[in-house]
Structure formats: structure tokens, C-alpha cells
């Protein structure tokens, strides 16, 4: 199977798994960690362009799991995390990973945060090495084995 097809299949599979757990994913820790993950993946290459912001806005507006929260609140949180990463990427990354780590108390939420990272990373059809690397770091922050997600 071609890499592109595998990527689409993985993102689709992750989205299906997320939807099956929608009713379990309603905590503030999940909300904050998922937006921190989106910001981290969007900034993985060190910059955040308009297309990346638009992909996250589309995810926020259309993702069934994220419908548990007001879209404007999610967008505000995402923008705050992006601001930290833009101000000082290295320092902001530490702060954002700490926010992601708060979801580790509930395994279903921790896995869902990683799945959201994979979905947003693969949204443009190219889950590149820098995006994979930050999702792998988030796995460590959440005490999840990266190989569980093919990372």
C-alpha cells in the first residue's frame, strides 16, 4: 500500500476511534490538551502558516468529538497556545507539552489527544517528520508508547 493511502487510512481509523469515545471526552483537561496538541502539530516545523490555522479551524468546526465544546472557546485556546509557540518555540513547546500531559490521568483521553494530533497532522495529506516527532514527544508526555500509534 502506498504511503499516501496508508496515511489516509490511519487518519480515518483514528477519527472513527475518536467518534466512538465521544461521550467519554468531555473534560477540561481533554479540551485543553487537544487544542495544545493542535497548536503543537501546526507549529511543528517552527512556523504556523494560514493554511495550518485554517485546517485547525476546520477540525474545530467539523470534528464530532470537539463538538462537546463551544467552537469559539476552542479557537481561543488554540490561538493562546500558538501565541506561546510563536513567542519562543522552545519555551512554548515545554509549556504546551505540560498542558498535553494533564490528560494522562484518563487513558481514553490521552489516546484521543494523540489521535487528534495524527488527524490534524495528516489533514494536508503529508504527516511529515517534524509533525510525527512532536506527536511522539506528546506520547512520552502522556506516558503512551509511540509504537501504539505507528510513530
Amino acid at each position: 500500500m502506498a504511503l499516501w493511502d496508508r496515511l489516509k487510512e490511519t487518519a480515518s481509523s483514528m477519527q472513527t476511534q475518536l467518534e466512538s469515545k465521544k461521550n467519554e471526552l468531555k473534560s477540561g483537561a481533554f479540551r485543553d490538551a487537544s487544542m495544545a496538541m493542535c497548536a503543537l502539530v501546526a507549529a511543528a516545523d517552527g512556523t504556523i502558516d494560514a493554511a495550518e490555522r485554517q485546517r485547525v479551524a476546520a477540525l474545530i468546526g467539523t470534528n464530532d468529538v470537539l463538538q462537546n465544546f463551544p467552537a469559539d472557546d476552542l479557537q481561543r485556546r488554540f490561538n493562546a497556545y500558538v501565541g506561546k509557540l510563536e513567542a519562543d518555540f522552545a519555551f512554548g513547546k515545554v509549556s504546551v507539552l505540560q498542558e498535553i500531559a494533564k490528560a494522562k490521568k484518563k487513558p481514553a483521553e490521552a489516546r484521543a489527544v494523540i489521535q487528534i494530533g495524527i488527524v490534524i497532522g495528516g489533514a494536508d495529506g503529508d504527516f511529515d517528520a517534524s509533525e510525527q516527532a512532536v506527536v511522539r514527544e506528546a506520547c512520552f508526555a502522556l506516558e503512551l508508547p509511540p509504537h501504539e500509534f505507528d510513530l
Side-chain angles (χ1 to χ4, degrees):
M1 180 183 308
L3 178 63
W4 169 247
D5 292 330
R6 238 182 23 244
L7 179 64
K8 286 192 302 188
E9 186 178 296
T10 298
S12 175
S13 170
M14 294 292 169
Q15 183 58 39
T16 301
Q17 289 173 34
L18 280 169
E19 289 169 5
S20 73
K21 303 233 181 272
K22 179 180 179 179
N23 293 329
E24 297 174 44
L25 305 173
K26 294 183 177 181
S27 78
F30 170 72
R31 174 200 61 211
D32 296 350
S34 63
M35 289 303 96
M37 174 61 87
C38 288
L40 188 60
V41 171
D45 63 0
T47 61
I48 301 171
D49 62 29
E52 288 168 318
R53 285 181 185 270
Q54 194 168 1
R55 276 196 303 277
V56 173
L59 176 76
I60 289 170
T62 61
N63 187 287
D64 280 346
V65 175
L66 295 177
Q67 298 301 310
N68 288 333
F69 310 101
D72 59 335
D73 183 39
L74 294 175
Q75 190 70 46
R76 184 179 52 76
R77 290 172 192 281
F78 169 74
N79 287 334
Y81 296 126
V82 165
K84 288 180 180 186
L85 292 163
E86 287 178 327
D88 182 334
F89 184 76
F91 185 71
K93 185 172 152 185
V94 170
S95 175
V96 168
L97 283 168
Q98 287 174 337
E99 196 62 50
I100 289 169
K102 291 178 183 177
K104 72 181 170 187
K105 294 175 188 156
K106 295 184 180 176
E109 290 183 358
R111 284 180 174 73
V113 168
I114 297 300
Q115 291 167 336
I116 283 175
I118 292 168
V119 168
I120 200 70
D124 63 354
D126 180 28
F127 189 36
D128 66 40
S130 62
E131 292 167 335
Q132 290 178 36
V134 296
V135 174
R136 195 175 306 110
E137 285 183 69
C139 284
F140 294 126
L142 291 165
E143 299 176 2
L144 294 171
H147 70 269
E148 182 179 325
F149 303 94
D150 293 328
L151 294 171

